[in-house]
Amino acid sequence: MAIRTVVWNEYAHERENPVVRDIYPDGIHAVIAAALGREADIEVSTATLDEPEHGLSQARLDATDVLLWWGHKSHGAVSDAVVERVADRVHQGMGMIVLHSGHFAKIFKRLMGTPCSLRWREAGERERLWAINRTHPIVQGVGPSIELPNAEMYGEPFLVPEPMETVFISWFEGGEVFRSGLTYQRGAGRIFYFRPGHETYPIYHNPEIQTVLRNAVRWAYNPVTWPDVAEAPNVPVAEAPETIEAKGASLHQAGEAGFR
């Protein structure tokens, strides 16, 4: 069965900025989707901010195995209800890949629980992404490093939780470094943050970047879901694994829901 993948993009810069439009005439999401869709094991579709429910209805998310997220100038326009819906699906086992300026997306900050702030500079400088662990599934098919002739600089400190794994570290021409590929798990869902992708440069046309994205989709895919991960049931005394007697006072009646 193919990995059901959705590429989400706010789709704003491509419509408003001629430089970005020349690079991505049909949107960043279209280029990423085309790169993923060339693989037989990935079934891909797209969604954008201006669609009803941002293209991420509950039914759509329930049928999604991996969600890729690109956002920048319109983070605040994303519905809080959709953010919670996406977070719930990640906890249940949907994989998520957050791209570039998506570090400030509501959903990424919701899942990280931190400011996700960093240092940045737009100077078109050279970037070298070093693969930290050459055996990691996400770096297969690329060399020891990926060279980007022009990129926006992101610099440390990057205020995110300590990751499970640091997959890439970037060096920039101006001297800064940045943890550019980080993996996390929230509930049953795997998350990969991947830094490259500034919209005024043709980064998503780069074959090695496309290889990383395809690898990341496969890595983030979890065929086993945990639909009741957010439930907090009140377990009756009679259903305890060992025989016990209730002792002392209780705030709740048997079977009553707890406070949330």
Side-chain angles (χ1 to χ4, degrees):
M1 180 177 177
I3 303 170
R4 300 167 299 177
T5 304
V6 174
V7 181
W8 190 91
N9 177 22
E10 64 183 23
Y11 197 23
H13 290 291
E14 303 95 315
R15 292 168 168 170
E16 301 167 7
N17 185 299
V19 174
V20 182
R21 187 164 55 247
D22 285 347
I23 298 170
Y24 300 108
D26 298 315
I28 287 170
H29 54 294
V31 171
I32 295 174
L36 298 177
R38 287 195 287 270
E39 303 295 302
D41 62 334
I42 299 175
E43 174 188 306
V44 65
S45 60
T46 63
T48 57
L49 178 68
D50 59 359
E51 296 176 35
E53 301 182 83
H54 309 327
L56 300 174
S57 66
Q58 188 64 61
R60 181 83 179 279
L61 288 170
D62 287 344
T64 299
D65 296 316
V66 179
L67 174 65
L68 290 87
W69 190 282
W70 196 100
H72 188 190
K73 68 176 295 185
S74 302
H75 297 316
V78 176
S79 160
D80 290 342
V82 171
V83 170
E84 289 305 309
R85 191 182 298 161
V86 173
D88 287 347
R89 280 290 295 129
V90 171
H91 293 147
Q92 292 167 7
M94 181 182 74
M96 186 157 194
I97 300 167
V98 177
L99 301 170
H100 188 57
S101 44
H103 71 91
F104 266 159
K106 287 181 179 180
I107 181 57
F108 191 61
K109 293 197 290 184
R110 166 73 171 78
L111 292 167
M112 296 297 104
T114 58
C116 302
S117 54
L118 45 79
R119 309 296 178 265
W120 62 280
R121 177 175 57 244
E122 276 190 289
E125 56 201 279
R126 182 162 52 98
E127 175 182 4
R128 184 177 294 134
L129 292 104
W130 287 100
I132 300 305
N133 179 357
R134 297 293 304 131
T135 67
H136 197 283
I138 290 177
V139 307
Q140 297 311 298
V142 301
S145 65
I146 300 173
E147 195 92 5
L148 298 175
N150 303 106
E152 178 186 25
M153 184 279 291
Y154 278 10
E156 296 286 348
F158 186 19
L159 270 68
V160 291
E162 191 66 21
M164 293 195 304
E165 304 156 299
T166 300
V167 180
F168 289 101
I169 289 180
S170 287
W171 167 89
F172 293 90
E173 191 174 350
E176 289 89 354
V177 297
F178 191 76
R179 291 168 293 159
S180 284
L182 305 176
T183 68
Y184 296 93
Q185 183 148 345
R186 294 293 183 265
R190 287 180 164 188
I191 302 165
F192 179 55
Y193 172 75
F194 191 43
R195 194 216 69 82
H198 189 59
E199 56 272 27
T200 60
Y201 310 116
I203 290 169
Y204 293 120
H205 292 283
N206 182 296
E208 290 183 295
I209 296 297
Q210 293 180 358
T211 294
V212 171
L213 294 179
R214 288 190 287 266
N215 291 344
V217 166
R218 295 177 178 120
W219 172 87
Y221 172 55
N222 180 4
V224 181
T225 60
W226 189 357
D228 61 350
V229 64
E231 293 184 11
N234 179 354
V235 180
V237 169
E239 295 180 13
E242 305 292 339
T243 302
I244 59 170
E245 294 181 4
K247 305 178 185 71
S250 175
L251 289 173
H252 301 283
Q253 299 299 314
E256 182 179 297
F259 302 119
R260 299 186 72 145

